[in-house]
């Protein structure tokens, strides 16, 4: 009888792949064995394969991601009759850990049914439930998760050991008799009764609850109750940043306009927050000044049960003080969130690592924050990088994330946040250790941002020094360019692209500050072709917080100083102008983000101070009319001058049309320059990247202007600084002399 050895690589452990193989083999009358090992799943099988190998890929379990199925003829002397699942081979890190996954339909039916898991908040199986957030060590088994303290009861043990059961080797398996428990407490005292019912009643009464989820605590309140939402804002010191919402699928149409693409994104196993146009059904205080709402479906049985009992839409925002990372421990929650929450919906399953909710946009598709449900999955590297040496990339200061590459794959960590925050820094260090362990990673080079004072850059320099490996500093916008190329699997020798890179700030050569750039380049290098005409950042970092500073210098440059004086009478304009003239703590910057701030300030959108990053630009995007003037911005010696936009203000153009003009004119100006590079044969395609392309208006308008060109965009890797580390890693590999 012909025998075969089949190797399956990818996300194939902890997803029910072995019982899936067992069932396929049983149905085909094959004999042999299947096991997990360091490289994935290994199958030794005898008999007529037929479509067996194809079915391994085509019919794989929902959470599986099959990268390769390798089939080779073999001779085995020990294959007994039948087909068996056998003990795992040696531990290793060549396969990947599965991300957390939202409750599957079968488990949801169970908690709403009449069986032993009716109403049980920790129901899961191999197709859903916690993974990364409970993992404490490799290999992934119960003893190395935060489920270790919960001994399985006989009924759960029987399911766990039955290959025909969907809970076969589901490490978080539990039931009310043996698993985690849920309770509600207030003032440190557990309240007797059914926790979900009491929690729902308190939410209906206008209270704010701290709810323990998969990757941390949320703060929840009734989204229809404006007084409760305002109270949450006051307690959390979050005056204007939009709150995320959680709603059942049947309640979505009442609050947002749901496209087919948005519904598909909502239903993804990652259960991300999805940005969708609001219908105006909720109080303005939920998302002041912005047209989109961020909504997620319930992701765990606990959330499903809570939403069912509550019967409406909840604000579900991170349980933290604004700017700080999400709280994950029970004791930490009591200490930190007692000032915010009236009561706590708690459980006793520990969270191994904090993971924020992922955030995506469906139209056009893009990941804005890569976190719960999306990590620690890997992404393939482009052709030409198959033999790349292992590299660690440390990312940037804002929206921090790290990236490791090995064996033709990249592991991009979860969104970590702002590294100036102490707890975020701790999470960054844990992510560095986590990823190294998960990938069995020993870097031969370390890549960092060109800015030497970024905390991530200092960490990378220390790591490189301790390891005795090269440290490679990568210019910020070159890293954005490379990240876009990498996501699109642009070959290492695929030629140069015209990259429009629009974002807030990034250090350029010779201490310049960039942010509105057209680059011609590839993984190895770049040339700066065009840029926004630079303007001083008065007060340095203060210019990121106070939009009037950017408006002042842009109006002055456009010959509209009198208008600036009228618009900002309370601002210290004379002092600001002196600082700009003397270039004291006022570096020149080509930042597109600061240009958006400037126009927003002129239109009265949070002119004196932003309460959160991107507030002015988000409000400006929402204000923009559906049509308006499109200006030809002059480009002289590579510098694109936005002055005509400010002349519109002086001419008394309507604010919504000015907002439209900014988006459309900026898109046209950069697209025209990029198209020239394509037409001249210097570039093969156009790449759109940088945080400003999270703005759906400018992303859509730029693509429209380049409709006849090949366009590369970012969908699964954030175009903002959350994707920076991937680009750094690819640039570092391309620059290594040994490669």
């Amino acid at each position: 009888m012909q025998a075969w050895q089949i190797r399956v690589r990818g996300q194939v452990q902890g997803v029910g792949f072995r019982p899936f193989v067992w069932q396929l083999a049983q149905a085909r009358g094959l004999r042999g064995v299947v096991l997990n090992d360091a490289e994935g799943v290994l199958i030794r099988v005898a008999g007529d394969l037929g479509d067996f190998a194809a079915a391994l890929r085509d019919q794989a379990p929902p959470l599986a991601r099959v990268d390769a199925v390798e089939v080779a003829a073999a001779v085995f002397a020990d294959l007994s009759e039948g087909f068996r699942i056998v003990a795992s081979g040696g531990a290793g890190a060549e396969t990947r850990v599965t991300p957390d996954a939202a409750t599957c339909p079968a488990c949801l039916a169970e908690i709403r049914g009449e069986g032993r898991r009716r109403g049980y908040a920790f129901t899961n199986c191999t197709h859903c439930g916690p993974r990364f957030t409970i993992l404490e060590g490799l290999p992934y088994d119960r003893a190395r998760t935060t489920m270790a303290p919960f001994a399985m009861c006989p009924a759960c043990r029987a399911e766990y050991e039955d290959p025909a059961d969907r809970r076969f080797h589901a490490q978080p398996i539990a039931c009310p008799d043996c698993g985690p428990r849920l309770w509600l407490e207030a003032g440190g005292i557990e309240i007797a009764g059914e926790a979900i019912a009491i929690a729902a009643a308190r939410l209906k009464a206008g209270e704010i609850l701290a709810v323990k989820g998969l990757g941390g605590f949320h703060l929840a309140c009734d989204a229809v109750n404006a007084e409760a939402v305002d109270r949450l804002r006051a307690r959390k010191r979050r005056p204007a940043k939009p709150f995320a919402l959680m709603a059942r699928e049947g309640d979505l149409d009442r609050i947002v306009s749901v496209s087919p693409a948005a519904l598909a994104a909502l239903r993804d196993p990652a259960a991300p927050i999805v940005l969708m146009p609001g219908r105006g059904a909720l109080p303005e205080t939920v998302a002041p000044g912005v047209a989109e709402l961020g909504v997620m479906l319930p992701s765990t049985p606990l959330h499903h049960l809570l939403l069912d009992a509550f019967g409406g839409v909840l604000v579900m925002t991170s349980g933290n003080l604004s700017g700080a990372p999400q709280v994950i421990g029970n004791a930490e929650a009591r200490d930190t969130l007692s000032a915010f929450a009236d009561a706590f919906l708690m459980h006793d399953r520990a969270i191994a690592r904090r993971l924020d909710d992922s955030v995506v946009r469906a139209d056009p598709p893009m990941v804005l924050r890569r976190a719960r449900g999306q990590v620690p999955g890997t992404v393939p590297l482009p052709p030409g990088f198959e033999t790349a040496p292992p590299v660690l990339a440390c990312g940037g200061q804002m929206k921090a994330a790290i990236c490791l590459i090995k064996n033709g794959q990249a592991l991009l960590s979860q969104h970590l946040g702002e590294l100036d925050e102490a707890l975020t820094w701790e999470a960054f260090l844990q992510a560095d250790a986590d990823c190294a362990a998960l990938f069995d990673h020993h870097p031969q080079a370390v890549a960092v941002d060109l800015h030497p004072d970024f905390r991530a850059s200092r960490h990378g320099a220390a790591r490189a020094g301790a390891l005795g490996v090269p440290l490679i500093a990568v210019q910020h916008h070159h890293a954005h360019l490379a990240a876009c190329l990498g996501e699109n699997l642009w070959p290492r020798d695929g030629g140069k692209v015209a990259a429009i890179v629009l974002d807030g700030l990034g250090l350029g050569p010779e201490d310049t500050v960039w942010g509105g750039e057209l680059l011609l380049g590839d993984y190895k290098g770049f040339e700066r072709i065009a840029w926004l005409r630079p303007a001083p950042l008065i007060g340095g970092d203060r210019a990121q917080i106070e939009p009037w500073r950017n408006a002042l210098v842009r109006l002055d440059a456009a010959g509209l100083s009198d208008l600036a004086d009228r618009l900002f009478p309370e601002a210290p304009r004379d002092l600001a102008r002196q600082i700009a003239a003397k270039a004291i703590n006022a570096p020149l910057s080509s930042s597109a983000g600061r240009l958006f701030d400037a126009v927003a300030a002129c239109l009265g959108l949070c002119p004196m101070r932003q309460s959160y990053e991107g507030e002015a630009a988000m409000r400006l995007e929402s204000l923009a009319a559906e049509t308006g003037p499109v200006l030809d911005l002059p480009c002289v010696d590579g510098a694109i001058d936005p002055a005509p936009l400010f002349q519109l203000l002086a001419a008394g153009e309507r604010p919504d049309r000015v907002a439209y003009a900014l988006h459309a004119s900026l898109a046209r100006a950069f697209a025209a320059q990029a198209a020239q590079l394509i037409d001249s044969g210097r570039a093969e395609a156009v790449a759109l990247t940088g945080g400003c392309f999270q703005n759906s208006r400018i992303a859509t308008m730029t693509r429209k202007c380049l409709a006849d060109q090949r366009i590369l965009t970012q969908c699964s890797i954030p175009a903002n600084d959350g994707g920076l580390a991937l680009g750094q890693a690819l640039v570092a590999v391309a620059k290594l002399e040994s490669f």
Side-chain angles (χ1 to χ4, degrees), residues 204-219:
K204 290 175 184 177
E207 291 192 8
I208 296 165
L209 265 60
V211 180
K212 188 176 183 180
L214 277 183
F217 278 79
H218 289 95
L219 292 170

Side-chain angles (χ1 to χ4, degrees), residues 431-584:
D432 189 10
D434 274 350
C435 292
L438 292 174
F439 229 25
D440 189 21
H441 196 263
H442 305 281
Q444 295 180 15
V446 178
V448 297
D449 191 88
L450 188 63
H451 199 307
D453 293 329
F454 280 179
R455 208 164 185 178
S457 299
R458 296 199 300 268
H459 174 76
R463 287 273 273 132
L467 294 168
V469 300
L471 177 70
I472 300 172
V474 181
Q475 200 277 326
H476 191 92
H477 300 90
H478 188 200
H480 276 308
L481 181 164
C484 186
L485 293 183
E487 177 178 339
N488 287 275
L489 298 178
W490 188 262
R492 186 165 177 257
D493 60 357
K496 295 182 178 180
V497 301
I500 303 174
V501 192
L502 307 180
D503 67 355
L505 299 171
L507 185 66
E510 299 177 354
D511 294 329
T512 55
V513 181
W514 290 6
E517 316 300 322
L518 174 65
L519 307 179
L520 174 66
D522 55 16
Y523 297 108
K524 194 167 185 179
F526 68 92
E527 176 185 355
R528 192 186 193 201
I529 301 297
W531 53 91
L532 276 178
R533 180 183 173 184
L537 293 175
I538 299 172
D541 289 344
R542 297 291 297 177
Q544 299 183 60
I545 302 170
E546 300 177 8
W548 71 268
R549 296 170 183 259
N550 306 293
L552 180 72
V553 295
R554 288 296 184 186
L555 288 167
D556 285 355
L560 298 170
S561 297
D562 289 347
L563 179 58
D565 292 338
R566 293 198 302 274
L567 289 174
F568 311 112
E570 304 301 320
R573 301 180 310 281
D574 292 342
L575 178 59
R577 286 169 171 143
Q578 292 174 26
I579 291 171
K582 295 178 180 178
I584 301 172

Side-chain angles (χ1 to χ4, degrees), residues 153-236:
C153 68
C156 284
R157 173 64 66 181
E159 294 171 330
Y160 181 84
E161 294 178 349
D162 181 0
D165 195 287
R166 80 176 196 277
R167 292 192 167 91
F168 178 77
H169 282 208
Q171 305 305 337
I173 187 173
C175 75
D177 293 333
C178 65
R181 60 179 289 267
L182 186 70
W183 70 90
L184 189 92
E185 67 175 61
I189 300 172
E190 182 174 341
I191 298 173
E194 205 283 306
I196 293 289
I198 301 169
R202 284 177 170 255
L203 288 166
K204 290 175 184 177
E207 291 192 8
I208 296 165
L209 265 60
V211 180
K212 188 176 183 180
L214 277 183
F217 278 79
H218 289 95
L219 292 170
C221 71
D222 183 354
V224 176
N225 187 333
E227 183 182 348
V229 178
D230 283 337
R231 194 182 322 118
L232 177 56
R233 288 201 175 280
R235 291 180 182 181
K236 199 176 176 183

Side-chain angles (χ1 to χ4, degrees), residues 71-419:
V71 182
V75 176
F76 302 116
D78 58 347
L79 290 186
S80 59
E81 293 297 326
F83 196 91
R84 297 176 295 125
I85 298 173
V86 299
S88 298
E94 301 308 313
T95 189
R96 64 189 80 157
V97 174
T98 305
D100 303 273
T103 307
C104 71
C107 285
L108 185 55
E110 266 191 291
I111 66 171
R112 290 172 173 166
E114 298 300 328
R116 66 192 188 93
R117 290 189 174 90
R118 175 178 173 81
Y120 185 55
F122 308 97
T123 300
N124 66 86
C125 69
T126 52
H127 304 317
C128 68
R131 299 291 197 281
F132 191 44
T133 50
I134 62 171
L135 180 70
E136 293 185 316
L138 290 173
Y140 172 63
D141 58 39
R142 193 178 183 94
R144 292 175 176 83
T145 71
T146 60
M147 286 297 296
F150 303 98
M152 278 183 258
C153 68
C156 284
R157 173 64 66 181
E159 294 171 330
Y160 181 84
E161 294 178 349
D162 181 0
D165 195 287
R166 80 176 196 277
R167 292 192 167 91
F168 178 77
H169 282 208
Q171 305 305 337
I173 187 173
C175 75
D177 293 333
C178 65
R181 60 179 289 267
L182 186 70
W183 70 90
L184 189 92
E185 67 175 61
I189 300 172
E190 182 174 341
I191 298 173
E194 205 283 306
I196 293 289
I198 301 169
R202 284 177 170 255
L203 288 166
K204 290 175 184 177
E207 291 192 8
I208 296 165
L209 265 60
V211 180
K212 188 176 183 180
L214 277 183
F217 278 79
H218 289 95
L219 292 170
C221 71
D222 183 354
V224 176
N225 187 333
E227 183 182 348
V229 178
D230 283 337
R231 194 182 322 118
L232 177 56
R233 288 201 175 280
R235 291 180 182 181
K236 199 176 176 183
R237 302 177 197 170
R238 184 169 165 171
K241 190 173 183 180
F243 281 139
L245 302 168
M246 183 175 283
R248 296 170 299 179
E249 193 169 309
D251 292 327
L252 291 174
D253 282 337
R254 180 167 58 86
I255 60 171
V256 287
S257 177
V258 188
S259 69
L263 187 58
L266 285 162
R267 291 172 173 173
D268 187 87
I273 296 169
V274 180
L275 300 184
M276 294 171 282
R279 292 190 181 277
L282 296 178
E284 170 73 8
T285 186
V286 169
V290 297
E292 290 183 316
L293 298 178
V295 187
M296 56 184 155
L297 297 178
S299 57
T300 73
L302 187 159
H303 293 111
H304 278 287
L305 293 167
L306 182 61
L307 267 291
D308 285 351
F310 178 70
V313 179
L314 292 175
V315 165
M316 194 68 74
T317 187
S318 295
N320 58 358
L321 183 63
S322 289
Q326 195 173 16
V327 170
I328 61 173
N330 291 358
E332 179 190 11
R334 293 182 185 104
D335 290 343
T336 306
L337 303 181
S338 291
F340 309 152
D342 300 303
F344 293 77
L345 190 57
M346 306 274 263
H347 60 76
D348 55 356
R349 184 179 66 202
I351 299 171
R353 59 185 53 73
R354 68 185 87 240
L355 281 184
D356 286 301
D357 299 308
S358 293
V359 182
V360 307
R361 175 177 274 119
D363 305 299
M366 63 180 76
V367 171
L368 283 71
R369 186 166 73 195
R370 193 169 184 270
R372 178 186 52 75
Q374 297 182 340
V375 292
T378 62
V379 295
L381 296 184
F385 288 89
E386 294 87 350
T387 60
V391 170
L392 163 66
C394 295
Q397 184 74 5
M398 303 284 288
K399 300 177 177 64
I402 66 171
C403 182
L404 282 61
I405 64 170
K406 177 184 175 183
N407 294 346
Q409 296 280 323
L411 176 66
L412 183 64
S413 80
Q414 70 270 28
H415 164 88
L416 297 166
E418 166 57 63
L419 293 186

